[in-house]
Amino acid sequence: METLRLAAVCVLLSAGLTFAAVEEENPEFWRSLARGDLEAALNRKLNTNVAKNIMLFLGDGMGVTTITAARILKGQLQNRTGEETVMTMDTFPYVGLAKVYTVDFQIPDSAATATAYLCGVKTNLNVLGLSAAGRNGVCRTQKGNEVTSILKWAKDAGKSVGIVTTTRVQHATPAASYAHSASRKWYSDSDLPPGAKLGGCTDIASQLLNNTDIDVIIGGGRKYMTPKGTRDPEYPSDLGAQGQRSDERNLINEWLKMKEGKVARYVWNRTDFDAVDPETTDYLMALFEPGDLRFELERDPALDPPLTETTEKAIRILRRNPNGFFLLVEGGRIDQGHHASRASMALHEAVALDNAVAKGLELTNEEETLTLVTADHSHALSFNGYPFRGNSILGKSPLYGTDMLPYTTLMYGNGPGHKIINNKRPDIRKVDTKSKDYVQQAAAPLESETHGGEDVAVLSRGPMAHLLQGVHEQSYLPHAMAYAACIGPDTRHCTHTPPPHNAAAARAAHTHTHTLGPALLTLLSVITVATLNTLH
């Protein structure tokens, strides 16, 4: 049997060679690419400037497998084979790894990890803005164990600060930048248990107003800001979209009142958002949904702007401050796509984040802006099989399983996609696995797929970006960013002014395009499957 399987692999490899562009058959092609990369590395100069600005792009759940798959998808959306695509984040010259475990768990959640990479301290699962002395859901452990974030450090240093997310602005990632909560789930006061209220704990939404003066707040989460029964302006008949607050407070109105004397705008739709002039706006709160924003593949472009545009608006407002800014941009629904085992949704969200990174670089100067792209954790996603070069990243491997059934290139270790019918996996030969609604198969049954625990990538460019190389605890990240920008307690970097120098040489990026005819793909797939079935 093993001999037959090896023969099948050889058939696949032989067939796959036909997909290579002619130039790739020439050894000089690869040597030339390598020489370009080598020269870029040799000519790279350390940028030791003080970072005026910091941009942190966070892909929630964007592990290395997701980055690779998103790269291929981005190329295939441009009618290329995809594997050779260079994403914007791929061009960052410095790459490191961050260890994501929490104090109490091997595999983390987004609250504990956000506390690490924003506050510089590792903590426990589901805990926000507290040290590990804080206990999940135990209000009395909050007081005295609060830790502040790099967003607050930047604000205290006179910089403008902002958060942009595709989730609710009270969700774990953005919340860790401003809130201290024994539970990430205490979005509004209605979510607080009676004991927590008696103990003096406050909800995350109210802390959004009271803890740190944030200049730009963009995402979702309207329902946590208004009294119970308040009709949503976009979904007036949807009971689930109504206000959630039991204390009758309207935090949106309170926020506007707090900004009297400044130009402050609250918007909830794209028309009003587009009308906001960043050159004359001091504060912006844009909440486009009652909860999380829609997936990119389901977003209504007439009502909700893409992440590139929300990122651009935030930067244009924040950069007016001569002292610079700190901006957190989260692609938050990558994670939620993975939890649902809908790989198409997750990967399109990752591509949208990469586009936002490109917009951020376009609007800033690398000489004075430190930019990071990283993830809080990964997912139980595998990239497997022997697909041909250029095979759809959302497609099937031509190599069948021993049960004589096909499987997709992307699969999950656990999740809602685990299905056994008559002691067999479902037959997906006639199933469109590229659909945004397709649920990838999984090895173990769970209602929601879980996070992964391996290290995540940290990509950086700009002043002191070389500090992010190597393998570090995730809690190292904000300390390195703060050092680069001379904010926080370590100000050694501020004691000298290095001479100006040219920006780091950009890595040579070669892309080549070649498309595969649908008829050729179909013919080769049929031949391969027939061959494999014969071997079995």
Side-chain angles (χ1 to χ4, degrees):
M1 177 64 70
E2 184 61 27
T3 301
L4 292 177
R5 290 184 65 80
L6 288 174
V9 171
C10 290
V11 170
L12 290 176
L13 292 174
S14 299
L17 290 176
T18 62
F19 293 121
V22 174
E23 61 186 353
E24 293 183 7
E25 297 177 0
N26 184 350
E28 187 55 31
F29 170 79
W30 302 105
R31 293 168 183 156
S32 177
L33 283 181
R35 285 195 297 269
D37 280 354
L38 180 60
E39 287 305 308
L42 291 171
N43 292 329
R44 186 173 299 132
K45 296 181 176 66
L46 294 184
N47 181 344
T48 57
N49 294 342
V50 173
K52 177 181 177 181
N53 312 310
I54 301 173
M55 295 191 299
L56 173 57
F57 290 87
L58 191 286
D60 195 321
M62 191 177 69
V64 172
T65 303
T66 299
I67 292 176
T68 303
R71 176 190 302 128
I72 295 172
L73 176 64
K74 187 168 186 175
Q76 291 179 345
L77 291 173
Q78 299 166 351
N79 295 319
R80 301 202 301 268
T81 54
E83 298 84 1
E84 73 292 337
T85 303
V86 178
M87 293 205 295
T88 299
M89 64 180 76
D90 292 337
T91 67
F92 283 41
Y94 300 102
V95 181
L97 293 172
K99 298 186 285 185
V100 301
Y101 66 91
T102 70
V103 171
D104 56 347
F105 277 80
Q106 279 187 339
I107 295 179
D109 81 308
S110 296
T113 51
T115 301
Y117 63 76
L118 289 171
C119 303
V121 173
K122 286 211 171 192
T123 190
N124 299 317
L125 209 73
N126 294 326
V127 172
L128 276 172
L130 303 177
S131 72
R135 298 290 185 264
N136 178 23
V138 183
C139 172
R140 67 176 182 274
T141 65
Q142 278 191 203
K143 190 173 182 180
N145 294 320
E146 300 89 347
V147 291
T148 57
S149 76
I150 188 171
L151 179 141
K152 179 170 172 51
W153 308 344
K155 189 67 178 186
D156 289 346
K159 297 182 183 296
S160 294
V161 297
I163 54 176
V164 175
T165 180
T166 55
T167 65
R168 68 205 83 173
V169 297
Q170 305 86 359
H171 208 254
T173 298
S177 70
Y178 62 83
H180 313 287
S181 181
S183 173
R184 59 177 289 182
K185 297 180 181 179
W186 293 347
Y187 300 121
S188 79
D189 68 312
S190 296
D191 298 314
L192 288 166
K197 291 181 179 180
L198 289 174
C201 287
T202 57
D203 62 280
I204 294 169
S206 65
Q207 293 186 57
L208 176 61
L209 271 64
N210 299 330
N211 287 2
T212 304
D213 185 27
I214 303 176
D215 303 88
V216 174
I217 302 166
I218 302 177
R222 292 192 295 257
K223 65 182 180 181
Y224 306 112
M225 308 290 281
T226 56
K228 275 191 173 181
T230 303
R231 291 191 175 188
D232 187 81
E234 188 174 356
Y235 312 102
S237 60
D238 185 351
L239 296 180
Q242 290 183 353
Q244 298 285 308
R245 302 197 65 82
S246 300
D247 57 11
E248 297 302 313
R249 294 174 64 188
N250 187 314
L251 298 184
I252 296 170
N253 290 342
E254 288 185 23
W255 181 83
L256 288 169
K257 189 173 182 180
M258 291 168 63
K259 308 307 178 189
E260 286 182 359
K262 298 288 186 178
V263 179
R265 297 288 306 278
Y266 166 73
V267 300
W268 62 268
N269 60 70
R270 184 169 190 170
T271 300
D272 292 341
F273 177 78
D274 290 345
V276 173
D277 182 359
E279 301 305 319
T280 59
T281 300
D282 300 314
Y283 291 93
L284 172 63
M285 179 185 286
L287 304 179
F288 295 109
E289 290 289 334
D292 299 326
L293 302 192
R294 294 179 179 273
F295 282 110
E296 178 62 21
L297 286 176
E298 296 175 340
R299 177 177 59 85
D300 184 347
L303 288 173
D304 302 327
L307 188 59
T308 50
E309 293 184 14
T310 53
T311 299
E312 177 174 5
K313 187 82 75 174
I315 292 173
R316 290 191 181 279
I317 292 173
L318 298 175
R319 71 181 183 183
R320 293 170 53 217
N321 187 336
N323 294 323
F325 65 84
F326 171 85
L327 175 63
L328 169 65
V329 179
E330 183 200 20
R333 301 220 66 188
I334 300 170
D335 175 73
Q336 295 173 1
H338 281 317
H339 279 309
S341 295
R342 296 165 72 186
S344 177
M345 288 297 201
L347 297 188
H348 279 86
E349 294 294 311
V351 171
L353 179 65
D354 191 61
N355 293 337
V357 173
K359 179 58 68 174
L361 296 183
E362 175 189 323
L363 295 168
T364 55
N365 180 353
E366 186 174 348
E367 285 296 291
E368 63 179 18
T369 302
L370 173 63
T371 305
L372 268 69
V373 179
T374 188
D376 47 359
H377 54 73
S378 67
H379 276 266
L381 176 69
S382 67
F383 183 12
N384 69 105
Y386 294 99
F388 296 123
R389 174 74 180 275
N391 192 62
S392 170
I393 191 62
L394 299 169
K396 309 175 186 79
S397 171
L399 184 62
Y400 280 24
T402 56
D403 56 3
M404 298 306 297
L405 292 172
Y407 57 90
T408 50
T409 301
L410 297 176
M411 302 177 73
Y412 290 95
N414 56 59
H418 177 88
K419 293 181 178 64
I420 300 296
I421 301 173
N422 296 326
N423 208 31
K424 284 188 176 183
R425 295 184 300 123
D427 186 349
I428 60 171
R429 279 178 291 185
K430 296 181 180 180
V431 175
D432 180 13
T433 61
K434 302 175 191 176
S435 164
K436 67 180 178 65
D437 296 316
Y438 177 70
V439 177
Q440 252 76 14
Q441 292 179 356
L446 285 177
E447 290 184 2
S448 176
E449 178 267 355
T450 71
H451 297 165
E454 69 271 20
D455 300 350
V456 295
V458 181
L459 305 105
S460 57
R461 64 191 301 165
M464 306 303 289
H466 55 281
L467 297 179
L468 281 305
Q469 296 178 99
V471 181
H472 298 282
E473 296 288 357
Q474 197 169 35
S475 51
Y476 168 76
L477 270 59
H479 296 286
M481 289 187 283
Y483 179 86
C486 286
I487 59 178
D490 191 343
T491 58
R492 286 175 293 163
H493 189 206
C494 314
T495 60
H496 71 284
T497 304
H501 57 271
N502 293 329
R507 182 168 68 87
H510 174 88
T511 59
H512 57 280
T513 60
H514 49 271
T515 56
L516 306 174
L520 176 60
L521 279 173
T522 302
L523 176 61
L524 283 171
S525 297
V526 170
I527 293 172
T528 302
V529 170
T531 303
L532 293 176
N533 287 342
T534 301
L535 290 172
H536 280 289

